[in-house]
Amino acid sequence: EIAWGQERLADAAAPRPAPVGLAPAVEPEAIRLGPGVFDPHRGRLVSLGGVALEEPRLDLWRAPTDNDLLGWRGSVAERWREAGLHRLEHKVLDVAVDEGGLTVETRVAAAATDAAMRAVYRWRSEAAAPGRLWLTLEVVPEGEWDFPVPRLGLRTSLPRYISDIEWFGGGPGEAYADTRAASRVGRHRATVAGMQTPYVFPQENGSRIDVRWARLSGEGPGLTVIGAPHFALTARPWTSEDLDAARHTTDQVERDRVHVNLDAVLHGIGTASCGPGVLPQHRLLASPTAFTVGFEADGR
């Protein structure tokens, strides 16, 4: 292969939740909405069609890259740590059920500053696709955010038997907003291990850009995530905190869950360790954001 190129011929119609949703069923020990089972006290999704999940919730943190750490005009990673973005505090303000679905209002605060995000999770299912659960995350910044944010999206985890990933979007390798020249849109496959980029110094890596849908599977019920229209996907056998704490690849010890990020947007990578930082168009500044993804369980 000498060269390749791609051109968008037309914009495909992205799937969207129907305007009228199914009503949740409220039980003493659970709220049931479509294929989802929720904790009635905190509104956390705990299972979806037989797949045990740890709640999808707002995530703002990433393991700093060399460029985040070594910027010649100052380390943006130091600003992130000073603000406490690696120690977010999630407070549930309200859990409300109505005919259209389940709404959970939260406040997500950086541990060492007054800056916070008001995050509202709107869950809904629909009669036309009863096996699908939609989540719209609405985020509004509060306080002073005078620095870029590492990422803005959802974080969840799946059972460790999840080992294979198929997706339609950018690939086959990692790509971020400003490192995407080699990423081609298509249907790709990888293992969870193969999703990792083993940098000598462990850091943020492995995100796939512009994902329309992703199927995560293994020796048990799997999960399909649907973009509306797309999202960035990361799947790891360790957490971002584990990656941040590691100093060598041998320090990265696999956990008993697969940790998944579904991002609306990420701060760019830049070249700050040896040149300019992230260009203005690729900086992630705190601003009101709405982000929708769909979830379907794949039974075995």
Side-chain angles (χ1 to χ4, degrees):
E1 182 176 276
I2 304 301
W4 64 272
Q6 286 187 322
E7 184 71 22
R8 184 190 300 273
L9 299 179
D11 289 328
R16 291 281 181 177
V20 179
L22 296 175
V26 180
E27 303 173 358
E29 301 299 325
I31 298 173
R32 299 182 183 274
L33 176 62
V37 179
F38 295 81
D39 176 342
H41 306 293
R42 300 182 59 82
R44 299 180 301 177
L45 179 66
V46 295
S47 71
L48 180 76
V51 181
L53 294 92
E54 291 183 356
E55 58 172 335
R57 67 180 187 178
L58 176 66
D59 192 18
L60 305 176
W61 177 248
R62 78 180 186 198
T65 66
D66 288 342
N67 292 334
D68 297 332
L69 292 163
L70 304 174
W72 60 278
R73 289 187 174 178
S75 167
V76 68
E78 289 183 7
R79 298 292 308 279
W80 295 343
R81 290 190 196 282
E82 289 170 0
L85 292 187
H86 59 310
R87 298 182 292 116
L88 293 178
E89 299 176 353
H90 298 255
K91 181 179 181 180
V92 176
L93 303 178
D94 187 49
V95 178
V97 172
D98 60 31
E99 292 299 315
L102 171 68
T103 300
V104 182
E105 296 186 22
T106 70
R107 185 176 188 271
V108 182
T113 179
D114 291 334
M117 296 280 188
R118 185 63 62 106
V120 179
Y121 304 82
R122 301 189 187 278
W123 293 96
R124 61 192 304 117
S125 187
E126 51 190 285
R132 181 179 300 170
L133 195 61
W134 289 100
L135 168 61
T136 296
L137 170 64
E138 299 171 356
V139 178
V140 178
E142 297 180 344
E144 185 175 358
W145 291 85
D146 58 351
F147 51 87
V149 181
R151 73 180 344 126
L152 196 156
L154 294 162
R155 170 177 179 166
T156 187
S157 75
L158 303 173
R160 188 64 187 91
Y161 64 72
I162 296 293
S163 58
D164 300 296
I165 302 175
E166 180 181 10
W167 73 97
F168 186 83
E174 72 172 23
Y176 293 78
D178 54 353
T179 65
R180 59 184 301 159
S183 179
R184 65 180 79 186
V185 173
R187 190 167 182 164
H188 305 285
R189 293 182 177 86
T191 62
V192 171
M195 294 284 283
Q196 316 310 308
T197 304
Y199 292 108
V200 173
F201 182 81
Q203 57 195 277
E204 166 65 31
N205 72 87
S207 182
R208 270 56 175 185
I209 202 166
D210 293 342
V211 175
R212 279 69 162 175
W213 57 262
R215 184 171 297 114
L216 298 93
S217 60
E219 297 298 323
L223 181 71
T224 295
V225 184
I226 304 162
H230 47 69
F231 57 93
L233 170 68
T234 309
R236 301 190 180 106
W238 38 72
T239 66
S240 294
E241 290 75 19
D242 295 334
L243 195 58
D244 182 23
R247 293 297 173 264
H248 307 279
T249 54
T250 53
D251 298 335
Q252 298 171 201
V253 179
E254 296 188 2
R255 289 183 175 259
D256 60 356
R257 306 279 292 177
V258 173
H259 299 273
V260 177
N261 278 92
L262 311 169
D263 291 305
V265 63
L266 293 107
H267 185 59
I269 300 299
T271 59
S273 60
C274 61
V278 176
L279 296 175
Q281 65 268 33
H282 300 308
R283 294 174 188 160
L284 175 51
L285 303 179
S287 62
T289 303
F291 172 51
T292 299
V293 289
F295 300 92
E296 290 183 352
D298 299 325
R300 295 297 298 265

